[in-house]
Amino acid sequence: MDAPLIRARGVSRVYRLGGGDVHALRGVDLDIGRGEYCAIMGASGSGKSTFMNLLGALDRPTSGELVIDGEVLQGKRPDELARFRNRSVGFVFQQFNLLPRTTALDNVALPLLYRGWSLKKRRERAEACLRMVGLGERMDHHPSQLSGGQQQRVAIARALSGEPSILLADEPTGALDSQTSEDVMDIFDRLNSDGITLIIVTHEADVGARARRRITFRDGLIVEDAS
């Protein structure tokens, strides 16, 4: 049997605030396989955002073992975590986080600059990713010239540009209306059908229902894992 893409064993995260400790995660055990489509769910303060930060190598566990794409994350230096993120994780955020004075094409190509790709190769990959999300006719547009849904499509294309092992989406429909949210979720469905490992962090039940597996957090623990 193949090793899971994500393997968490006894993962805890404790934040020291003021005079006390806040236990955001309390010994989480979880495997996620390559090609899965998971929704990480739970109320505010449940631990889902903390777990997302660990999966994205934006933070490290206080204790336990977290292995992602064959990499043991605890003990890595900040520069090593940055290289891991650039290689293995694509991020999609609620607020898009696009550079306002930069075209859609250049927004998507930018992460590839840090990999040392040539300009020609960066642009070819960015064009392919924008076509993948249905924006082949909007490559030269700036974010202000795009709707919210189109901006989120650019953000998805940017996340895909480096061919990451994991596509991690944090409340990706939170800033969108209902119909645009459906359109964006259709893109995610199609990407997963094409074999991309997709993890969506959400508190919206209808978004979570689109995933093939729903993992619910409460008080720093997984309380439900349903397919």
Side-chain angles (χ1 to χ4, degrees), residues 196-222:
I196 291 173
T197 305
L198 178 59
I199 300 173
I200 293 180
V201 179
T202 183
H203 68 277
E204 299 180 58
D206 56 338
V207 172
R210 301 285 289 260
R212 294 180 173 83
R213 181 180 178 190
R214 290 163 297 283
I215 301 161
T216 304
F217 279 76
R218 183 183 301 144
D219 297 329
L221 294 168
I222 294 174

Side-chain angles (χ1 to χ4, degrees), residues 41 86 95 132 155 199:
M41 307 186 71
N86 184 256
Q95 297 299 334
M132 199 182 303
I199 300 173

Side-chain angles (χ1 to χ4, degrees), residues 39-142:
I40 305 293
M41 307 186 71
S44 178
S46 63
K48 70 179 188 302
S49 295
T50 298
F51 192 64
M52 179 206 72
N53 288 337
L54 297 182
L55 294 182
L58 299 170
D59 196 4
R60 285 173 289 192
T62 302
S63 61
E65 181 181 66
L66 181 61
V67 182
I68 302 177
D69 201 16
E71 298 268 3
V72 180
L73 295 193
Q74 52 268 52
K76 285 190 178 296
R77 301 188 308 270
D79 62 313
E80 293 173 325
L81 289 175
R83 282 196 295 272
F84 171 81
R85 285 193 300 272
N86 184 256
R87 183 185 70 251
S88 295
V89 186
F91 292 96
V92 180
F93 299 102
Q94 178 175 338
Q95 297 299 334
F96 320 139
N97 293 348
L98 303 177
L99 298 176
R101 299 182 180 179
T102 304
T103 65
L105 182 66
D106 288 336
N107 264 287
V108 174
L110 181 61
L112 304 176
L113 176 65
Y114 304 110
R115 293 194 178 193
W117 289 23
S118 68
L119 176 61
K120 181 175 183 291
K121 188 177 178 183
R122 293 199 304 269
R123 290 180 69 87
E124 287 175 349
R125 177 60 183 167
E127 288 174 1
C129 289
L130 284 166
R131 291 193 185 97
M132 199 182 303
V133 297
L135 287 180
E137 304 302 318
R138 297 287 189 273
M139 295 185 187
D140 294 329
H141 287 57
H142 289 74

